[in-house]
Amino acid sequence: MIDIPDELAASQQKYNGEAGRAFIAGLPDLTADFLDRWELTVDGRPMHGVSALILPVLRRDGSPAVLKLQLLDEESEGEPVALRAWDGDGAVRLLDHDAATGAMLLERLDSSRMLAHQPDVHESVLVIAQLLAHLTSFPAPAGLRRLGDIAQAMLEQTPWALQRIPDPEARGIVAHCAAAVREVVTDPGDRLLHWDLHDENVLASERAPWLAIDPKPLAGDPGFELWPALDNRFDADDVCWRFDAMTDVLGLDRARARAWTYGRLLQNCLWDIEDGRPVEDRQLEIARRLRAHGS
């Protein structure tokens, strides 16, 4: 019997409601099924993220791996597509996958050596930039969610959201972000994006210094990838250095990259408003700093 972490059960209920509760209830049987199907032996305590159970295992030949079980949705269904495209080149390697459930068998990386533990934040930002430069060099496979569609939907939702922001300055910043996205939405790009490459989604391994995990892939412009590294271990005075360093490493046009970073900020603000939360000042401050830097 596998112990399901209480935090995973709580997050599934919070974000996925009845579907999340059903997923958690079925996890013991689902785990047992894939341990048997893929001839795996449990090799450690269960780990978890916000939405997935991660179980260290040994394969039949004794090699280490992890079994990842998560609720199948529009984000998770693209993960194996991206991992197959990268094929271990800059990202964790996919060893097996079950399309019906979304279950994945992945190579085991060193979860004790996470980029978030790197004491030099600038070094961490450069590692993320170098990974992104490589990962986004791949064309997006067919069938992935497209940034253009997501951005257009955000713009359609913006008037509704602006009416629900009481602070005039915050409302003006969100409107500015939307205006910037409107300028680039017709040219959303076609690169394979990770979308969630923050410093807890980069792990060390024996075969490479750092590898990306847990993509939520999109087809789009690499400028949409920069926000997590601006937000990690947030320092308002460091936002512009990080933005310049990343755009240099990725070879991005700064005006376009700034517009797509505003797009990411707009997305976060819309989520806050949908959930009845005030827009976070940290988000607004990133936009303030980038706007002043670009003027």
Side-chain angles (χ1 to χ4, degrees):
M1 178 65 71
I2 299 299
D3 291 329
I4 307 302
D6 291 340
E7 297 87 348
L8 176 61
S11 67
Q12 280 290 340
Q13 179 165 335
K14 176 180 178 180
Y15 294 111
N16 297 309
E18 183 56 40
R21 288 190 291 273
F23 170 71
I24 293 297
L27 259 182
D29 288 343
L30 188 66
T31 303
D33 178 28
F34 280 99
L35 290 175
D36 180 63
R37 188 186 311 189
W38 287 339
E39 300 180 80
L40 307 172
T41 302
V42 177
D43 187 42
R45 293 182 59 80
M47 300 175 288
H48 67 92
V50 173
S51 60
L53 179 72
I54 310 294
L55 190 61
V57 294
L58 295 175
R59 306 177 79 185
R60 183 173 60 177
D61 63 3
S63 60
V66 295
L67 175 63
K68 181 175 184 177
L69 302 171
Q70 58 190 342
L71 188 65
L72 193 59
D73 58 22
E74 66 176 0
E75 289 188 355
S76 61
E77 70 182 2
E79 183 173 356
V81 178
L83 293 179
R84 284 197 187 97
W86 290 320
D87 193 25
D89 190 0
V92 66
R93 180 169 283 119
L94 179 67
L95 304 175
D96 211 337
H97 170 240
D98 178 66
T101 63
M104 289 183 289
L105 188 66
L106 302 165
E107 72 171 311
R108 194 189 304 182
L109 306 183
D110 188 346
S111 60
S112 70
R113 290 192 292 151
M114 184 184 293
L115 188 59
H117 302 154
Q118 162 63 250
D120 186 337
V121 176
H122 283 188
E123 179 61 29
S124 172
V125 169
L126 291 174
V127 167
I128 289 175
Q130 290 154 5
L131 281 173
L132 287 175
H134 184 70
L135 296 175
T136 61
S137 70
F138 287 71
L144 287 181
R145 296 178 301 156
R146 303 194 66 82
L147 175 57
D149 297 333
I150 292 170
Q152 188 60 52
M154 291 193 299
L155 292 175
E156 292 169 1
Q157 192 180 8
T158 297
W160 169 88
L162 291 175
Q163 294 176 4
R164 287 157 176 80
I165 303 175
D167 179 69
E169 189 215 7
R171 189 165 59 248
I173 291 173
V174 174
H176 173 75
C177 289
V181 173
R182 198 169 288 112
E183 292 295 319
V184 294
V185 70
T186 57
D187 185 17
D190 63 356
R191 299 291 88 191
L192 177 52
L193 307 186
H194 182 288
W195 185 80
D196 196 28
L197 198 61
H198 54 76
D199 58 8
E200 293 184 358
N201 272 347
V202 180
L203 300 180
S205 81
E206 292 184 0
R207 68 177 180 85
W210 299 107
L211 293 170
I213 65 168
D214 200 24
K216 305 291 186 289
L218 302 174
D221 190 294
F224 201 62
E225 295 275 42
L226 306 184
W227 175 82
L230 304 179
D231 186 67
N232 290 162
R233 291 181 271 179
F234 179 68
D235 179 349
D237 292 335
D238 206 36
V239 165
C240 295
W241 183 91
R242 298 183 193 188
F243 178 79
D244 287 351
M246 296 186 77
T247 51
D248 281 347
V249 171
L250 275 84
L252 301 180
D253 175 84
R254 282 188 178 152
R256 282 185 58 81
R258 186 181 299 109
W260 281 118
T261 302
Y262 288 149
R264 191 64 176 273
L265 296 169
L266 176 62
Q267 185 177 58
N268 292 337
C269 292
L270 291 172
W271 286 339
D272 284 342
I273 295 164
E274 286 175 349
D275 291 343
R277 300 189 303 267
V279 177
E280 287 186 357
D281 190 65
R282 185 168 72 182
Q283 306 289 324
L284 300 174
E285 185 61 21
I286 291 175
R288 290 186 194 103
R289 296 287 176 139
L290 291 181
R291 189 173 186 179
H293 188 54
S295 59

